[in-house]
Amino acid sequence: MNLEKGLASKYIYITFVIATYWIVSILTVFVNKALLSSKAVDLDAPLFVTWFQCIVSVTICITLRKVSQWFPRYIEIADGSPFRKDILKKVLPLSLLFTGMIATNNLCLKHVGVAFYYVGRSLTTVFNVVFTYILLGQKTSFKCIICCAVIIAGFWLGVDQEQVAGSLSVLGTFFGVLGSLLLSLYSIRVKQTLPAVNDDIWLLSYYNNVYSIVIFIPLMLINGEQTIVYNYDKLEHPFFWGAMTIGGLFGFAIGYFTALQIKVTSPLTHNVSGTAKACAQTVLATYWFNEEKSFLWWMSNIVVLTASAFYARIRQLDLSKEYKIETQQFKV
């Protein structure tokens, strides 16, 4: 009975994490789209926006650490320094992926609509299969490879329909594909890096954002954003900084719940969850922005989602079969 209750509590917790990830992720996309492309903000400096969000995240981490020291009975957060040489060596590779991931995500979102953002970043599962084989040496079944081929076909159909509609952004699509690639690498690397921070999501988020603040500085300078920000006419407006802070709060939340979802499930489950979430996000975006899409455009979304769902099911069965074989060998 206690075992059943424990399993039920575990599944409830996992469901809560996934649902929260969905809500936070969808809201983050809409908030970032407003910051990056809306006329109300009108600031052509996507890397600066992302950099400021990292600053907000670090501020939140430091504040929560102080609160935990004042009220240890109610909140407990581990103490850690991102400037330790051993931590820097272990976490920096992940932080480079983290920086690239959030930068390309925002660059993609700046150039494409929220509705197409899903298809533009739908190759994450495909890249996950490729890098799982290259980096971890894990082979994938032929059925899974077929699913990946269908996902690629759905992606190209979506790109084609964007071009037919005259709304295709080649640059936005490029950043979407690059973002998918970096997300796959990040998902795999998170599992390998968490033990270095005692499986503490808060510390990992703190370290990632501290390192990203530094990494973004040369990127912003190369992109010439310092001049754009200096000449920005709304730099002293409270509305602008309020909107930027809200974006930073969501940026911190999505970073935390992304890592937490990977921790309580797996990189594969996280990628599939992200794909399914993006489908709901697409429907909301077409309704919110009052966009009309063609039948083939919707088919591209359905193809990607269906293939991703089949892939998840096949992988689940494959892993279950592998587990049974290993268990039987252990008994023998």
Side-chain angles (χ1 to χ4, degrees):
M1 183 63 71
N2 290 333
L3 179 61
E4 291 179 356
K5 288 183 178 179
L7 288 173
S9 299
K10 179 182 177 181
Y11 287 131
I12 291 172
Y13 177 64
I14 292 174
T15 302
F16 169 77
V17 170
I18 294 175
T20 305
Y21 166 79
W22 275 46
I23 295 170
V24 171
S25 182
I26 291 174
L27 288 175
T28 300
V29 170
F30 278 85
V31 169
N32 281 343
K33 182 62 178 177
L35 287 172
L36 295 165
S37 303
S38 70
K39 293 182 179 179
V41 177
D42 194 25
L43 175 63
D44 187 19
L47 296 181
F48 170 77
V49 172
T50 314
W51 176 71
F52 183 82
Q53 290 177 346
C54 291
I55 293 177
V56 173
S57 295
V58 170
T59 303
I60 293 172
C61 289
I62 294 174
T63 302
L64 288 173
R65 176 56 191 161
K66 290 295 182 182
V67 171
S68 71
Q69 292 175 345
W70 296 334
F71 306 100
R73 291 182 57 187
Y74 301 100
I75 180 172
E76 182 179 352
I77 296 179
D79 191 16
S81 172
F83 307 108
R84 284 170 47 189
K85 187 176 180 180
D86 59 328
I87 293 295
L88 179 65
K89 184 178 180 180
K90 294 176 181 178
V91 180
L92 183 58
L94 179 70
S95 298
L96 290 170
L97 292 173
F98 175 79
T99 304
M101 180 183 69
I102 60 177
T104 51
N105 284 351
N106 278 354
L107 286 168
C108 173
L109 191 57
K110 176 178 175 59
H111 294 286
V112 305
V114 175
F116 182 69
Y117 182 65
Y118 157 50
V119 174
R121 296 183 63 257
S122 60
L123 298 182
T124 303
T125 301
V126 178
F127 285 123
N128 194 61
V129 170
V130 173
F131 290 122
T132 297
Y133 175 73
I134 294 174
L135 300 177
L136 304 179
Q138 297 178 2
K139 295 183 179 180
T140 306
S141 67
F142 180 73
K143 291 180 180 179
C144 286
I145 294 175
I146 292 297
C147 290
C148 289
V150 175
I151 291 173
I152 294 172
F155 167 78
W156 280 114
L157 178 60
V159 171
D160 176 71
Q161 289 305 298
E162 283 287 301
Q163 186 174 11
V164 170
S167 56
L168 176 66
S169 169
V170 176
L171 189 60
T173 303
F174 167 76
F175 283 124
V177 174
L178 184 58
S180 298
L181 185 152
L182 292 174
L183 175 58
S184 296
L185 289 173
Y186 179 78
S187 300
I188 294 172
R189 188 75 187 188
V190 163
K191 283 284 188 179
Q192 299 171 337
T193 307
L194 274 171
V197 294
N198 297 320
D199 287 334
D200 194 309
I201 299 296
W202 292 99
L203 277 181
L204 185 62
S205 179
Y206 175 49
Y207 294 155
N208 271 337
N209 282 282
V210 168
Y211 298 149
S212 293
I213 290 173
V214 179
I215 297 169
F216 266 120
I217 292 175
L219 296 178
M220 289 188 293
L221 293 175
I222 293 171
N223 203 37
E225 294 190 3
Q226 69 278 10
T227 303
I228 297 173
V229 174
Y230 180 78
N231 295 318
Y232 183 54
D233 59 352
K234 299 177 183 177
L235 203 58
E236 298 181 357
H237 289 199
F239 167 79
F240 168 70
W241 292 111
M244 289 282 283
T245 301
I246 292 173
L249 292 172
F250 277 105
F252 170 80
I254 189 57
Y256 174 77
F257 281 105
T258 294
L260 183 60
Q261 181 172 243
I262 294 171
K263 180 182 177 180
V264 301
T265 58
S266 67
L268 171 64
T269 303
H270 166 68
N271 290 333
V272 173
S273 173
T275 301
K277 178 273 308 180
C279 180
Q281 178 179 290
T282 299
V283 175
L284 285 172
T286 53
Y287 173 78
W288 183 264
F289 294 106
N290 195 27
E291 298 177 354
E292 292 186 5
K293 301 296 184 180
S294 66
F295 172 77
L296 288 178
W297 188 94
W298 282 109
M299 279 301 300
S300 69
N301 284 263
I302 294 172
V303 167
V304 170
L305 178 64
T306 304
S308 297
F310 271 107
Y311 174 85
R313 179 56 178 166
I314 293 169
R315 282 294 293 157
Q316 182 184 33
L317 294 174
D318 289 344
L319 291 173
S320 177
K321 188 184 298 182
E322 291 173 7
Y323 176 76
K324 288 181 180 179
I325 293 174
E326 291 178 359
T327 303
Q328 289 175 354
Q329 290 176 344
F330 179 76
K331 289 180 178 180
V332 173

